[in-house]
Amino acid sequence: MSASPVSGGSPRPASSIPETPRPGHAPDHGHEPEIEVSEGLPLGFGEGWTGRVAFWLAVAFSLFQLWAAAYGTLPSQIVRAMHVGFLLLVGFVLVGNLVAKTKGGQAFFWALGGLGFFTGLYQWIEYADLIRRTGFLTQMDLIMGTVLVLLVFEGARRLMGWPLAVIAGIFLAYCFFGQHLPAPFIHRGYGYEQIVEHFAFGTEGIYGSPIYVSSAYIFIFVVFAAFLERAGMLNLFNDFALGMVGGVRGGPAQVAVLSSALMGTISGSGVANVVASGQFTIPMMKKSGFRASFAGGVEATASMGGQIMPPVMGAVAFIMAETLNVPYAAVVQAAIIPAVLYFGVVFWMVWLQAGRDDLKGLPKASLPNPWQAVREQWPLILPLAALVYLLFAGYTPIFAGTMGLALVTVLILGAPLAAMIGPMVFRVVFWVALGVASASFVEYGVDLLAIVIAGLLVACALFKGARPTIGIVRDALAQGARNALPVGMACAIVGIVIGTLTLTGIASTFIGAIIAIGENNLFLSLVLTMLTCLVLGMGIPTIPNYIITSSLAGPALLELGVPLLVSHMFVFYFGIMADLTPPVALACFAAAPIAKSSGLKISMQAIRLAAAGFIIPFMAVYTPSLMLQDGGAIAEAYGYPVEVAYILLKTVMGVGMWGIAVVGYLWDRTTLVERLLAFAAGVSLILAMPWTDEAGFALTAAFLIVHGMRTRRNRAVA
């Protein structure tokens, strides 16, 4: 196995563990890299000169976004417009290269891409004049605005499929024809010019908050994840997970959970997590005796949790922070306990299922030493640690992401140069000097860091042995831009939905309906919100699902007394669960070809694994301290830490009992009566009603006594 570009880590011990291609080797321009997110498009950039052009367009996209983030000299509207322009350009060029069957079809899609890019240039060139022409657009303005809307719809359809385009199309049609609908859906009617201006030139349509977050935050973090993967971070995570939990009961599946949790700290994309980690974990689980559908379900369930795993979380977290106007660190704080509980649930369910099926761990002699893996590849952790520090030190996500990306670039480029230095003491001096120069950006700004990177690039170009490292950086830039396409197009098309809500005011009708239902029953309102997330999630990814549902349900739940951050996290959580629920479970179908099983079967296993996790958001609504929000009566009487500890204990016991009821195993297979006891205990601990906690603790104790005595009796007889 080839070495990491950072440290040259030791190979895994010879064992039954399947090999995974290590990221970090630069592919040819037209060939696909080893790890790639593909939603709606085949892998790669295409063959021949068209593939090379597409590759370099992706590199240019990344460089533009990094320059805009690092220096911020362009107005936000221009950055948003160019972001969408690049999305359309690269997206349609890839469609032409990878999907079109004829040369004519390829030329057509390339023309669409060029036209889409020109819409961004038009906004840049005409920026000052467009501001002066607000409300009085010219004929050319209307033409360009119409073209932009049409291209965004077609681009989203090509990259994301029909469902999201259809949903956005219904909202757009409502703007044109809603004045003919009966009350309460009727609106006053809007002219064509007003609609085009609202969606194509304002900041409440396509260039609204979602695309701002995509251009400012999400893109940087997607590229950051691509760089870390190329540097070998995925292999470090896999080695660490193997060494830590590979030998316990159900070890291969526990490795999948832990490595997906670790991968989620940098990826924030469920599908990318499935594709990256699943290549290694799913075959290992199958080889160890797990059913193919269960192996795929474990990977899909664990991978989706990456979107709520701090510090990077998913793109939704950045959109949430921007929407609520709170620091990103506040969103991370609210997500910490639910994220730990989510992965705790999956660990617990796997442990129970492995016990029920009598599946052992991997032989300890075949497993790597986790701490040795960390010692050998510890430099990979530094950029992630710097990112976490900057995010929690109050720096903006743009600055933190850009600096984290710059630091991992320094690490990649510096590694081959350090390897050429003979004596260890000089190598240490080199890294210390490079570290000091890189860290000085906090004091002297981004220019110094840019000079350091430029110097490293020149040095790598001068030495033959270091030149391949430049290819790693180049390929990571291209891959990051490609990975960002589905996210960016989702943010662009969902701007149509948000623009409709702000233009017509239809959101107030929906909010009023939820409030009317919830006046007497908050639980019913939460269930309806959950079902909305799950139904929408059958056709659209987590990001647009969250944006649409939170725009409608968030204010309504606030009126019913649910803290705004908690209500948004509630929607976020079930938006993630939607990717696991049949009939359209994107994460499960991404795992299907790796597991060689039906996506529907994998989805059913994923729902079973995540069943206990469905209750965590409900508990957070009734006890916001679970998300480290304002405390309640226990906090007033005994202090906030006591309330958090009590709620956490109650939640852990509740999901634990639910897991036992679902799997039917603890120390031995449970009887029907014992399963009913466990189920009743779990329900009682979840409900926030008088005496339900006491009943839940009593039922839990009763279950443990009954099940323990029966298990001991059976073992004595055996």
Side-chain angles (χ1 to χ4, degrees), residues 25 92 168 200 229 264 267 286 295 305 336 368 433 437 484 505 557 586 626 633 686-687:
H25 297 286
F92 279 121
E229 287 176 8
S267 169
K286 289 175 64 179
I336 288 175
L557 294 177
L586 184 60
L626 192 62
I686 294 161
L687 296 175

Side-chain angles (χ1 to χ4, degrees), residues 40-373:
L41 285 177
L43 301 178
F45 290 90
E47 298 297 331
W49 70 269
T50 56
R52 288 192 290 274
V53 171
F55 179 91
W56 285 107
L57 286 175
V59 172
F61 187 9
S62 289
L63 291 175
F64 169 79
Q65 288 292 159
L66 293 174
W67 173 75
Y71 291 97
T73 55
L74 289 177
S76 176
Q77 182 79 355
I78 293 176
V79 175
R80 301 182 200 197
M82 291 303 298
H83 184 70
V84 175
F86 266 115
L87 288 170
L88 294 172
L89 174 63
V90 178
F92 279 121
V93 164
L94 288 177
V95 171
N97 287 358
L98 303 172
V99 177
K101 304 297 184 185
T102 64
K103 291 293 184 182
Q106 184 180 35
F108 172 73
F109 285 114
W110 275 59
L112 290 184
L115 192 57
F117 186 70
F118 184 70
T119 62
L121 289 177
Y122 185 81
Q123 292 263 359
W124 192 345
I125 295 167
E126 296 287 318
Y127 173 68
D129 291 334
L130 282 169
I131 293 175
R132 288 192 290 268
R133 292 199 296 264
T134 300
F136 303 95
L137 297 182
T138 65
Q139 192 70 25
M140 180 55 73
D141 294 340
L142 292 175
I143 291 172
M144 294 305 299
T146 303
V147 167
L148 172 65
V149 173
L150 292 175
L151 288 178
V152 165
F153 268 95
E154 178 62 10
R157 184 183 74 84
R158 290 285 179 178
L159 293 174
M160 312 296 294
W162 277 102
L164 185 53
V166 169
I167 290 172
I170 292 171
F171 276 82
L172 183 60
Y174 177 70
C175 294
F176 282 102
F177 307 112
Q179 66 270 29
H180 304 300
L181 296 177
F185 302 106
I186 189 171
H187 60 64
R188 64 181 179 85
Y190 306 95
Y192 182 79
E193 295 82 359
Q194 185 178 2
I195 292 174
V196 170
E197 180 171 7
H198 184 76
F199 286 112
F201 293 99
T203 55
E204 294 183 340
I206 291 172
Y207 300 137
S209 180
I211 209 66
Y212 163 70
V213 176
S214 176
S215 63
Y217 307 156
I218 297 172
F219 191 95
I220 302 300
F221 282 85
V222 170
V223 175
F224 176 71
F227 267 75
L228 280 179
E229 287 176 8
R230 293 278 173 178
M233 181 65 93
L234 177 60
N235 296 284
L236 171 59
F237 287 160
N238 285 339
D239 286 344
F240 184 78
L242 268 171
M244 288 297 292
V245 296
V248 304
R249 189 167 82 189
Q254 304 289 23
V255 169
V257 179
L258 182 55
S259 65
S260 293
L262 294 171
M263 186 66 184
T265 62
I266 64 166
S267 169
S269 169
V271 175
N273 209 340
V274 170
V275 174
S277 299
Q279 297 178 36
F280 164 67
T281 58
I282 292 175
M284 183 173 62
M285 283 186 275
K286 289 175 64 179
K287 196 167 185 178
S288 298
F290 287 95
R291 297 189 308 277
S293 59
F294 184 79
V298 169
E299 181 56 49
T301 307
S303 292
M304 290 312 299
Q307 294 185 72
I308 57 170
M309 190 67 184
V312 174
M313 299 177 62
V316 171
F318 297 105
I319 298 173
M320 188 187 303
E322 185 68 25
T323 302
L324 300 180
N325 195 27
V326 298
Y328 179 74
V331 177
V332 171
Q333 176 182 302
I336 288 175
I337 293 180
V340 172
L341 288 172
Y342 180 94
F343 282 102
V345 165
V346 184
F347 272 118
W348 176 243
M349 298 295 283
V350 167
W351 193 80
L352 293 174
Q353 188 66 46
R356 182 183 173 94
D357 296 342
D358 195 27
L359 296 173
K360 309 300 182 184
L362 295 168
K364 291 190 182 297
S366 70
L367 300 177
N369 184 322
W371 303 112
Q372 182 180 349

Side-chain angles (χ1 to χ4, degrees), residues 399-467:
F399 182 82
T402 306
M403 293 304 103
L405 179 56
L407 291 175
V408 75
T409 305
V410 168
L411 195 64
I412 292 173
L413 294 174
L417 298 175
M420 296 177 183
I421 300 173
M424 174 63 72
V425 64
F426 293 124
R427 216 176 305 167
V428 171
V429 170
F430 171 81
W431 279 117
V432 169
L434 196 57
V436 171
S438 301
S440 60
F441 73 86
V442 177
E443 183 69 25
Y444 300 106
V446 70
D447 285 338
L448 182 59
L449 200 50
I451 293 171
V452 171
I453 293 174
L456 289 172
L457 283 170
V458 171
C460 287
L462 292 176
F463 295 99
K464 184 178 180 181
R467 284 173 199 157

